[in-house]
């Protein structure tokens, strides 16, 4: 029997308005779909951007949240990769296996990532758009089975939820997008949850000089705890000059931008050593424009690239990051600044805007 579930979640009805907790309905999982009971969800910047209408303006009403862990409650026909009771991290990249990228063995670039059918509705019957095809500020959500990555039940839901987006994005940017090598030097511009995850990734890769750049002294202090060897307060003068001073006049082998602003991208491009790699991780707004001295850029050589989701492959990388957490090599406890209730999600956005948190995590 097709059974409809009634769930509770945070719904953003109109751009700029606070998210409101409402009941909503979820269709029974169709073939290859899964109903997941959420245990924990990180509160990420992208949820705030969506709520404010900066990102995906046409999707209202949104079901907020896209960084979650939970329990598989019901599976549709034909699901083979998970079963009821499995403990999973949700991924917003689930390679289709058939697109032009999957077909040439590059599933991390999949252009047709799998999602469930749009089967969640407000109590008035209006279709809900789950953020990034997931929706995790809620008791239950409907996803494609391939978006579910099982992990060890002994690991805590709050920390595991963060692997689903911010932490994976940062660690993957260092490991896969920049391919940081042992002994290299790295600069990370912007040390929020994503920047600190880049720092952890750079340390795991064996970087020996890790320069953290931020405008908030508190963020620089926590960056050191994640593994930064040097810090720069960008309000105290040109960070490019300071980075060069700290690297024998040369600049870094790899630079990362994790703010999402044109000026900080320019800093990241110019602070590299010859042949260095610059990776853009921050999401800029539609108006941002780069001011690039082309001859200088050419003279540095190397590469400039964008990293989405840390170029990760969730089936490979979520269990890896979970193992590293279990072994004490990835300090996710320190990323979880606050554990909150669903009712406190709006306050968590304000705390994020005030720079008080690396991550608030909603515990259901
Ligand atoms: N120079 C250096 N650091 C800056 C500057 C600046 N001009 N402006 C802001 N910052 C710092 C903030 O102080 C903060 O520590 O950048 C950091 C941004 O962190 P968060 O707001 O916590 O965002 P986070 O979740 O880490 O995401 C960063 O990556 O994936 C993207 O969408 C995400 O664009 C966002 C970025
Ligand atoms: Zn594909």
């Amino acid at each position: 029997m097709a059974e409809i579930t009634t769930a509770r979640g945070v719904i953003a009805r109109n751009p700029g308005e606070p998210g409101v907790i409402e009941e909503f309905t979820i269709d029974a999982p169709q073939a290859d779909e899964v109903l997941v009971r959420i245990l924990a969800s990180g509160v990420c910047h992208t949820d705030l951007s969506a709520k404010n209408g900066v990102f995906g303006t046409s999707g209202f009403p949104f079901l907020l949240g896209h960084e979650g862990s939970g329990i598989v409650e019901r599976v549709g026909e034909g699901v083979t990769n998970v079963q009821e009771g499995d403990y999973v991290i949700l991924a917003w990249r689930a390679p289709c296996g058939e697109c032009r990228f999957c077909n040439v063995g590059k599933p991390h670039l999949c252009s047709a990532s799998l999602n469930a059918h749009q089967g969640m509705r407000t109590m008035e019957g209006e279709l809900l758009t789950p953020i990034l095809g997931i929706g995790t500020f809620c008791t239950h959500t409907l996803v494609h089975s391939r978006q579910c990555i099982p992990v060890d039940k002994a690991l805590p839901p709050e920390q595991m939820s963060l692997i689903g987006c911010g932490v994976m994005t940062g660690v993957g940017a260092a490991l896969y997008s920049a391919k940081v090598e042992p002994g290299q030097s790295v600069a990370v511009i912007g040390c929020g949850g994503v920047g600190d995850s880049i720092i952890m990734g750079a340390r795991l890769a064996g970087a020996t000089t890790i320069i953290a750049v931020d405008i908030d002294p508190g963020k620089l202090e926590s960056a050191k705890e994640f593994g930064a060897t040097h810090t720069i307060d960008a309000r105290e003068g040109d960070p490019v000059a300071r980075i060069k001073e700290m690297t024998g006049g040369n600049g870094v082998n790899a630079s990362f931008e994790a703010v999402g602003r044109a000026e900080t991208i320019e800093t990241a491009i110019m602070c590299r050593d010859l042949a260095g790699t610059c990776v853009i991780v921050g999401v800029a707004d539609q108006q941002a424009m780069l001011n690039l001295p082309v001859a200088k850029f050419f003279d540095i050589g190397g590469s400039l690239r964008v990293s989405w989701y840390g170029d990760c492959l969730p089936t490979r990388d979520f269990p890896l990051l979970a193992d590293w957490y279990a072994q004490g090599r990835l300090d996710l406890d320190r990323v979880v600044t606050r554990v909150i209730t669903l009712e406190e999600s709006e306050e968590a956005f304000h705390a994020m805007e005030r720079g008080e948190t690396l991550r608030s995590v909603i515990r259901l």
Side-chain angles (χ1 to χ4, degrees):
M1 273 312 289
E3 206 182 307
I4 305 255
T5 301
T6 303
R8 272 173 77 242
V10 182
I11 293 175
R13 293 257 178 181
N14 295 297
E17 286 178 12
V20 175
I21 298 186
E22 297 183 24
E23 290 201 320
F24 63 96
T25 62
I26 308 179
D27 290 355
Q30 298 182 355
D32 301 322
E33 295 180 351
V34 170
L35 178 73
V36 175
R37 178 165 59 85
I38 301 291
L39 292 175
S41 172
V43 178
C44 174
H45 224 112
T46 309
D47 299 303
L48 180 62
S49 304
K51 188 170 78 86
N52 287 340
V54 176
F55 168 89
T57 44
S58 61
F60 289 91
F62 281 116
L63 174 60
L64 296 180
H66 62 278
E67 190 176 80
S69 61
I71 303 286
V72 172
E73 194 154 289
R74 215 179 321 152
V75 300
E77 244 174 78
V79 170
T80 53
N81 65 314
V82 286
Q83 53 190 24
E84 281 169 29
D86 278 359
Y87 175 42
V88 296
I89 302 175
L90 300 177
W92 49 265
R93 174 176 292 148
C96 72
E98 294 173 354
C99 74
R100 61 194 186 281
F101 297 100
C102 288
N103 271 339
V104 295
K106 296 178 179 171
H108 64 288
L109 300 178
C110 176
S111 62
S113 190
L114 299 169
N115 287 125
H117 82 286
Q118 217 176 352
M120 299 194 272
R121 291 180 186 79
T122 65
M123 293 316 270
E124 299 87 64
E126 204 178 346
L127 282 174
L128 282 170
T129 309
I131 301 278
L132 290 172
I134 303 186
T136 54
F137 289 7
C138 49
T139 57
H140 298 77
T141 195
L142 184 68
V143 293
H144 194 283
S145 64
R146 299 282 164 189
Q147 291 180 280
C148 296
I149 313 295
V151 288
D152 182 351
K153 279 200 175 104
L155 300 171
E158 295 86 346
Q159 284 79 345
M160 291 305 103
S161 73
L162 303 184
I163 292 177
C165 185
V167 166
M168 185 70 251
T169 297
V171 172
L175 295 181
Y176 302 124
S177 310
K179 299 189 170 62
V180 171
E181 294 172 13
Q184 284 194 327
S185 56
V186 161
V188 179
I189 326 291
C191 300
V194 173
D196 285 334
S197 299
I198 297 171
I199 291 173
M200 289 195 279
R203 183 154 88 162
L204 283 162
T208 44
T209 300
I210 302 177
I211 304 171
V213 183
D214 206 290
I215 50 172
D216 176 340
K219 294 290 171 69
L220 292 172
E221 276 313 303
S222 51
K224 278 194 222 164
E225 291 164 357
F226 286 105
T229 57
H230 302 67
T231 59
I232 294 174
D233 187 331
R235 296 168 310 175
E236 294 171 357
D238 177 20
V240 174
R242 302 282 308 283
I243 290 169
K244 297 231 165 172
E245 271 168 38
M246 290 170 171
T247 50
N250 297 326
V252 290
N253 300 122
S255 63
F256 299 85
E257 200 275 354
V259 185
R261 296 171 59 94
E263 307 88 89
T264 41
I265 293 173
E266 288 160 15
T267 299
I269 291 171
M270 300 316 293
C271 74
R272 291 168 301 148
D273 192 0
L274 297 175
T277 302
C278 173
V279 180
I280 300 175
V281 182
V283 183
D285 65 38
Q286 301 292 328
Q287 283 72 43
M289 299 286 285
L290 278 184
N291 183 11
L292 194 62
V294 179
K296 267 188 171 174
F297 174 68
F298 185 88
D299 286 348
I300 295 173
S303 61
L304 168 61
R305 51 159 312 175
V306 170
S307 174
W308 295 340
Y309 214 178
D311 288 306
C312 78
L313 198 54
T315 45
R316 174 192 64 192
D317 296 311
F318 287 9
L320 169 66
L321 267 53
D323 277 351
W324 276 341
Y325 170 74
Q327 295 166 357
R329 298 168 73 189
L330 193 65
D331 188 0
L332 302 184
D333 298 343
R334 209 183 282 286
V335 189
V336 181
T337 326
R338 283 182 197 165
V339 178
I340 61 169
T341 63
L342 202 55
E343 286 69 23
E344 293 169 309
S345 69
E346 196 60 29
E347 168 51 26
F349 286 127
H350 296 311
M352 177 195 290
E353 287 175 311
R354 291 192 298 264
E356 292 170 5
T357 48
L358 292 177
R359 270 292 190 275
S360 296
V361 180
I362 299 169
R363 186 68 163 93
L364 274 306

